[in-house]
Amino acid sequence: MRNWRLRVIEELGLTPPQWEVYRALLWNPRASREELAEIARAHGSDLDADIVHLEFASLVVRSSSTPSQLRPVYPQVALQRLLDQKWDLHEEEAKQLRHVNEELTEFAEEFSEHRRAYEISLLNEVTDPAEMTSRVNELVREAKSEILSFVPNTFSGATLEHARAGDRELLGRGVRARSIYLDATLEDTASRQYLHWLAAQGAFVRTTPSLPVRMIVFDGSAAVVSRRALDPGHGALIVQSQGLIAALVSLFEAYWSRATPLTPSGIPRDSITTIEHDILTLLAQGMKDDAIAHRLDVSVRTVRRALNQLYERTGSENRFELGVKATRYGWL
């Protein structure tokens, strides 16, 4: 049977065996039941079931004088009627689909309006300095994993003491802190000493020539952003919109990748030798002393002597601490 005809038959709600029985009756209205049964069996079908379906579809009728005799209804009438029924059904389905589409469009518009209102509600402007300090302190206390910050300012006496106390408590809770300051911050003695103290406490500190805004991101779920670029005097926005926070985190990571790692006082960033750099790199990969020596084609004694010197210079007590500090100093 041609593929196009098979598709037409299926669209009319018929099976191939039913179509062949109907076709046999059209070609031979006097076909016997045995002949029709043979056609049905050849297609793996049951004749009685096929006849019931054909009668229901008004494709065959029984003779009024001989009820056992089936008479086919000519296709010009029968098939057109089936097609009209299908068309009416499709029209009703199309009408229902249009209604569903209208309902979905209305629902989508309602959602968009709600979403816009919701996003706006997740942006809270705070202009009062006391309230701003209170909100930031609250977010710091609630932080559990990581705080990211752009800090484009230097520090004075009272500010430094307050910052040290907060940072000591934060880092003591195991919260990871990554901060980017301006290169110019290192020109101020008090600020430079504070940054070195901060790095020694375990924070990750980097500097850069410029910063786009003053901000702090807490656990990737909330952020505080100065309302006017670098000037906190004009208030700030408390951001809780996940879309905006994701954008702020991406901005931070872009600056972080280009910023310069802070190294402790007295330890220039380029103060390690090539062999020390290679040893640190392999150490970070988890290799043991003998494996490092074999890879670099030096003696195990040379590797251990270099490691001991690095321990002493960085104040590290073990390999893990040395790896952390080497990363912080920009050696890796």
Side-chain angles (χ1 to χ4, degrees):
M1 185 179 295
R2 296 176 181 175
N3 289 336
W4 66 267
R5 183 169 293 176
L6 180 60
R7 289 197 298 271
V8 170
I9 291 170
E10 290 175 346
E11 281 296 326
L12 292 175
L14 301 176
T15 65
Q18 292 163 2
W19 173 261
E20 291 300 330
V21 170
Y22 173 63
R23 185 170 177 272
L25 283 170
L26 284 174
W27 260 245
N28 181 15
R30 296 182 179 278
S32 66
R33 178 178 175 81
E34 289 72 19
E35 291 173 327
L36 297 177
E38 183 64 28
I39 293 173
R41 281 195 299 272
H43 289 81
S45 185
D46 178 70
L47 178 62
D48 290 332
D50 291 339
I51 289 175
V52 169
H53 190 90
L54 291 172
E55 286 186 283
F56 180 79
S58 299
L59 292 175
V60 299
V61 295
R62 294 185 180 274
S63 171
S64 57
S65 58
T66 310
S68 61
Q69 181 67 43
L70 297 172
R71 183 166 58 84
V73 179
Y74 289 167
Q76 293 91 327
V77 176
L79 295 181
Q80 186 61 49
R81 184 164 54 238
L82 274 181
L83 186 60
D84 290 342
Q85 291 173 355
K86 284 289 182 179
W87 181 258
D88 291 341
L89 180 61
H90 285 311
E91 278 290 298
E92 181 61 29
E93 289 177 347
K95 181 179 179 181
Q96 292 177 0
L97 287 175
R98 284 194 295 270
H99 177 68
V100 170
N101 182 60
E102 291 171 358
E103 291 290 336
L104 289 177
T105 300
E106 183 178 347
F107 176 75
E109 291 174 353
E110 290 177 359
F111 172 76
S112 296
E113 292 177 3
H114 169 76
R115 186 65 185 176
R116 284 192 293 271
Y118 178 69
E119 290 288 345
I120 292 174
S121 72
L122 296 179
L123 286 174
N124 298 312
E125 183 178 3
V126 179
T127 56
D128 180 68
E131 182 183 357
M132 186 72 258
T133 299
S134 175
R135 294 294 297 276
V136 170
N137 288 340
E138 180 182 353
L139 290 169
V140 169
R141 285 194 300 270
E142 294 175 351
K144 293 180 175 59
S145 58
E146 183 178 53
I147 289 181
L148 313 175
S149 56
F150 284 162
V151 191
N153 62 283
T154 56
F155 299 88
S156 59
T159 305
L160 276 174
E161 288 307 312
H162 178 75
R164 285 178 189 269
D167 292 329
R168 188 181 292 110
E169 190 277 333
L170 180 74
L171 296 169
R173 287 193 283 117
V175 177
R176 188 170 186 246
R178 288 194 288 156
S179 301
I180 304 177
Y181 295 79
L182 293 176
D183 290 340
T185 305
L186 298 176
E187 298 174 4
D188 177 77
T189 302
S191 297
R192 183 174 63 253
Q193 291 174 347
Y194 165 68
L195 294 190
H196 285 303
W197 172 86
L198 188 60
Q201 301 305 305
F204 293 86
V205 179
R206 295 188 179 187
T207 63
T208 189
S210 63
L211 287 170
V213 70
R214 177 192 304 271
M215 76 171 186
I216 311 174
V217 180
F218 303 88
D219 292 339
S221 60
V224 177
V225 183
S226 292
R227 187 170 175 272
R228 184 175 293 183
L230 307 179
D231 186 359
H234 289 82
L237 293 175
I238 307 295
V239 182
Q240 292 177 297
S241 164
Q242 291 306 300
L244 291 178
I245 289 174
L248 293 175
V249 171
S250 295
L251 177 66
F252 177 88
E253 296 296 354
Y255 271 79
W256 182 261
S257 66
R258 297 192 299 269
T260 303
L262 180 73
T263 59
S265 300
I267 303 182
R269 188 174 299 105
D270 57 356
S271 64
I272 61 171
T273 64
T274 300
I275 186 68
E276 288 173 334
H277 177 270
D278 292 342
I279 290 174
L280 286 172
T281 300
L282 297 176
L283 185 70
Q285 296 175 11
M287 296 180 66
K288 302 297 184 182
D289 293 353
D290 54 349
I292 294 175
H294 179 74
R295 174 71 66 84
L296 299 179
D297 195 23
V298 297
S299 67
V300 175
R301 183 178 178 182
T302 298
V303 172
R304 289 174 178 168
R305 182 170 60 249
L307 286 174
N308 287 333
Q309 291 173 350
L310 289 169
Y311 286 147
E312 183 177 352
R313 285 158 60 193
T314 60
S316 301
E317 296 183 358
N318 53 55
R319 291 168 178 259
F320 177 77
E321 185 178 359
L322 176 60
V324 171
K325 290 184 176 180
T327 301
R328 187 180 301 136
Y329 302 162
W331 291 348
L332 291 175

